[in-house]
């Protein structure tokens, strides 16, 4: 079972240490002590809370598709030449970059500040852990 310190839990959820402590006091999260007597929370419980609290913008396209990874965001940068373009979206805390034809950028009407949905359907997803830390399971 993975144990996560309060400051790290706060960092991963984008809240303050005090917020995590209040969640513990209010019974939203349970805590325990690690070998060094520091207060920690269970990683799986934290992950469940993160999923529950995730507020994702609604996909405005109203299109059915098989890809489950949809990131709604704002266009923050477009680098374009005659043939190809690089489009960057800010989707909540995540930066998503797409390479596409310049023609596609024009056809989609993409411009700085416009709303767009990045749809990802990948056969390979690489999962990494912080260096030097072994995840206990």
């Amino acid at each position: 079972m993975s144990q996560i310190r309060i400051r790290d839990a706060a960092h991963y959820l984008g809240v303050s240490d005090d917020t995590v402590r209040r969640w513990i006091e209010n019974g939203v999260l349970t805590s325990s002590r690690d070998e060094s007597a520091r207060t920690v929370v269970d990683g799986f419980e934290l992950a469940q809370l993160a999923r529950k609290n995730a507020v994702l913008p609604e996909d405005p396209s109203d299109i059915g598709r098989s890809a489950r990874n949809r990131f709604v965001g704002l266009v923050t940068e477009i680098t374009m030449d005659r043939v190809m373009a690089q489009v960057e979206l800010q989707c909540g805390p995540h930066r998503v970059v797409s390479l596409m034809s310049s023609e596609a950028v024009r056809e989609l009407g993409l411009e700085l500040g416009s709303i767009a949905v990045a749809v990802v359907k990948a056969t390979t997803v690489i999962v990494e852990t912080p260096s030097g830390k072994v995840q206990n399971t």
Side-chain angles (χ1 to χ4, degrees):
M1 176 180 348
S2 178
Q3 296 181 329
I4 299 176
R5 294 174 60 184
I6 287 178
R7 71 176 177 152
D8 294 331
H11 174 75
Y12 295 138
L13 294 184
V15 298
S16 70
D17 296 9
D18 289 336
T19 297
V20 175
R21 286 186 186 92
R22 277 193 298 278
W23 286 340
I24 291 169
E25 289 171 11
N26 295 330
V28 174
L29 281 173
T30 54
S31 67
S32 60
R33 298 279 181 181
D34 67 7
E35 300 148 356
S36 301
R38 293 177 295 211
T39 303
V40 294
V41 295
D42 175 63
F44 181 64
E45 185 179 352
L46 187 67
Q48 289 177 315
L49 180 64
R51 178 180 281 177
K52 177 183 167 196
N53 288 346
V55 178
L56 302 175
E58 190 172 316
D59 184 339
S61 65
D62 197 32
I63 296 173
R65 61 178 69 88
S66 64
R68 298 291 176 242
N69 301 309
R70 297 181 190 151
F71 302 95
V72 179
L74 297 168
V75 176
T76 58
E77 190 169 336
I78 300 172
T79 305
M80 190 162 62
D81 64 19
R82 223 181 91 216
V83 178
M84 292 300 296
Q86 176 178 306
V87 178
E88 294 187 25
L89 303 175
Q90 191 65 41
C91 304
H94 306 287
R95 174 179 167 253
V96 179
V97 180
S98 177
L99 300 176
M100 64 183 75
S101 69
S102 295
E103 179 181 18
V105 170
R106 289 188 294 274
E107 286 177 359
L108 292 170
L110 295 177
E111 58 187 30
L112 298 178
S114 63
I115 297 170
V117 181
V119 180
V120 179
K121 179 115 182 174
T123 57
T124 302
V125 175
I126 298 169
V127 177
E128 300 176 335
T129 60
S131 63
K133 294 185 179 180
V134 176
Q135 301 295 318
N136 298 326
T137 57

